[in-house]
Amino acid sequence: MKFGRYLVLASITFLLIAAKAKEETKSESNCILGNCGMKLLPCMGRRECRGWLSCILDCGNDNLKCRSFCGLYYQSEQINKISKCAIENECIETGFSKFPEYIPSKDYGSMLLDDFIGTWWFQAYVGGEHVFDSSCQKFEFSKGSNDFLNVKYSVPLSYKDLSRTIQSRGRFYNNYLEGYEVKYENFASYHEKWFPRMMIPGVVVSEICFSGAGKCYDYGKIILSKTPLQEWSLDKKKLLERKLKEQMNIDWHEINWVFNNNCQS
């Protein structure tokens, strides 16, 4: 009986939050409540989870970028369980359909798994509507086994005047002809595939797709490096510019640079 009262309380709380949402999100709220209500109960007692729910409901019809930000900014076991339940029951529109299905290139590079070991900074992207285009994104790869590397991803984010450094851990697998696969521990029903296309000392350019609904969606190309662009020699910049044009038909002016010098190592 006491448990039932808590469930009712959780339901009322969630519906009160949902009532503040725009009309297009109310059906999603009802679906989540109906299918994932039992998982909402522990969420209501935790500030992190309540913050995530509020953030999600404030997104309105922004199905991808805003909700992805909420899922990155707020992280907990309860959030992951609710997210997985909502996706599996098709309660939410993920927005994946905005992206074309990825078609792998036949000539992607021959980087070895251990070539990624070390710290890499997200410097730039080309093409695609990047969800996480924040500066100071960092990937730290370390040896796991012969089959995978451990990866720690971090990025400083701000929301409602509160800043925090977000961290996600996972594994980086070499699937050979199917590229490299990144699986994070705390991102429900989401993983990425990387297809490195070219590499010069301290810089790698990779095509990216992210998986969902049985497909891998084209996320464009990213440029990672071990040092900031501002520290590169002129010769290194010219080498990258030439290689991008020769191997990938990318002009320098097409690159969207996001890194800045205020990032903490």
Side-chain angles (χ1 to χ4, degrees):
M1 192 69 177
K2 187 175 181 181
F3 177 80
R5 290 175 182 173
Y6 278 125
L7 182 57
V8 171
L9 178 61
S11 302
I12 292 173
T13 304
F14 185 73
L15 287 172
L16 288 174
I17 296 174
K20 299 178 182 178
K22 295 182 179 180
E23 189 64 34
E24 57 266 25
T25 65
K26 288 184 179 179
S27 61
E28 294 181 358
S29 304
N30 292 335
C31 178
I32 294 172
L33 180 61
N35 291 282
C36 313
M38 297 295 289
K39 294 178 175 59
L40 285 170
L41 184 59
C43 180
M44 296 308 167
R46 291 170 171 81
R47 180 182 299 176
E48 186 80 357
C49 199
R50 292 198 307 270
W52 169 74
L53 280 173
S54 179
C55 182
I56 289 290
L57 291 169
D58 283 344
C59 286
N61 59 0
D62 185 344
N63 296 325
L64 187 60
K65 190 164 186 175
C66 177
R67 294 181 182 188
S68 297
F69 175 89
C70 295
L72 185 62
Y73 188 85
Y74 292 104
Q75 297 185 24
S76 72
E77 182 180 354
Q78 288 75 30
I79 292 172
N80 208 37
K81 287 179 179 178
I82 297 171
S83 297
K84 185 176 181 180
C85 177
I87 292 172
E88 289 178 346
N89 286 281
E90 300 181 350
C91 291
I92 59 176
E93 169 57 49
T94 61
F96 290 167
S97 59
K98 294 174 62 177
F99 295 83
E101 188 172 354
Y102 176 74
I103 301 175
S105 302
K106 295 181 180 179
D107 57 346
Y108 74 88
S110 57
M111 288 183 65
L112 300 175
L113 189 63
D114 285 355
D115 289 339
F116 285 97
I117 291 177
T119 298
W120 297 83
W121 297 90
F122 178 64
Q123 295 279 6
Y125 66 93
V126 180
E129 180 187 350
H130 275 251
V131 177
F132 302 135
D133 54 5
S134 303
S135 61
C136 301
Q137 297 182 64
K138 181 169 62 173
F139 297 85
E140 298 174 80
F141 296 95
S142 59
K143 190 69 175 178
S145 74
N146 292 331
D147 300 322
F148 68 87
L149 299 179
N150 295 312
V151 56
K152 183 174 77 171
Y153 168 81
S154 62
V155 58
L157 294 176
S158 296
Y159 179 63
K160 292 186 176 179
D161 299 323
L162 181 63
S163 298
R164 55 169 67 172
T165 297
I166 307 302
Q167 293 187 353
S168 296
R169 297 178 183 272
R171 290 182 174 182
F172 189 70
Y173 298 90
N174 186 353
N175 289 337
Y176 301 98
L177 294 179
E178 296 184 4
Y180 294 85
E181 188 170 37
V182 188
K183 290 187 175 181
Y184 293 104
E185 296 172 354
N186 51 343
F187 290 162
S189 304
Y190 175 90
H191 62 275
E192 296 174 344
K193 289 185 177 180
W194 294 22
F195 295 84
R197 286 290 306 277
M198 59 159 288
M199 185 177 186
I200 64 173
V203 181
V204 61
V205 183
S206 181
E207 294 176 346
I208 301 285
C209 69
F210 60 93
S211 295
K215 298 180 180 179
C216 205
Y217 297 91
D218 194 343
Y219 199 36
K221 303 164 184 66
I222 63 170
I223 299 176
L224 303 178
S225 77
K226 293 193 171 184
T227 56
L229 174 69
Q230 292 83 351
E231 296 179 11
W232 296 4
S233 66
L234 181 60
D235 288 342
K236 186 172 184 176
K237 292 178 183 178
K238 288 184 175 295
L239 175 61
L240 178 61
E241 183 177 6
R242 178 169 59 83
K243 291 283 189 181
L244 285 171
K245 185 62 178 178
E246 291 176 353
Q247 298 184 22
M248 303 179 69
N249 196 30
I250 295 174
D251 291 319
W252 195 257
H253 66 81
E254 298 179 72
I255 302 173
N256 301 287
W257 297 96
V258 298
F259 188 88
N260 63 53
N261 272 337
N262 297 322
C263 304
Q264 296 182 356
S265 58

